[in-house]
Amino acid sequence: MAEQFFEYKGFPLVRKGNELYYGSMGDKEVVYVQIAASEKKGDVDVATKVRVYRMLTDENVPVMERITKTAEKKTLFEAIDLAHDWLATR
C-alpha cells in the first residue's frame, strides 16, 4: 500500500505532533516548522508561537550548519505561508 502525503501549494507537508516538514527531502532545502506554544480555543489547540527553519537536506553537512534561515511567527498559517515563499523563490 502506497503512503499518502498532504500537499500545500504544490509542496509535500508532513506533520507529527508539533513538528512539520514542508518540501521534498529530495530537494536541496526543506522547511522545518516547530509549534513552540499553543492555547486552547474551544476544543482546538491553536498555535500562538511558531518557529520556522529553512534547512539543507544534505546529510554530509553538520546539523547546525544546515540551517540557512530562521523566523518566528504567531500563527501556523503565517509560518507555512512564509515556508512556501522560501521554497518557491529559491
Side-chain angles (χ1 to χ4, degrees), residues 3 15 18-19 22-24 26-27 35 40 43 48 53 61 63-64 69 75 77 88-90:
E3 291 185 36
R15 178 177 183 173
N18 288 337
E19 299 180 338
Y22 184 58
S24 173
D27 291 341
I35 300 171
K40 204 78 152 157
D43 293 338
T48 57
Y53 304 91
V61 176
V63 174
M64 292 310 292
K69 202 175 247 192
T75 68
F77 175 78
T89 59
R90 57 191 156 114

Side-chain angles (χ1 to χ4, degrees), residues 25-84:
M25 292 305 280
D27 291 341
K28 181 181 174 186
E29 293 180 311
V30 295
V31 178
Y32 169 68
V33 179
Q34 178 186 46
I35 300 171
S38 61
E39 64 182 41
K40 204 78 152 157
K41 299 257 180 155
D43 293 338
V44 179
D45 285 330
V46 177
T48 57
K49 182 177 181 181
V50 184
R51 295 186 184 116
V52 188
Y53 304 91
R54 185 173 73 180
M55 54 194 303
L56 301 172
T57 57
D58 185 352
E59 293 183 1
N60 295 319
V61 176
V63 174
M64 292 310 292
E65 293 177 24
R66 290 184 201 172
I67 298 171
T68 60
K69 202 175 247 192
T70 65
E72 191 170 291
K73 296 294 179 182
K74 292 183 179 181
T75 68
L76 184 56
F77 175 78
E78 289 175 349
I80 297 296
D81 202 41
L82 175 63
H84 179 265

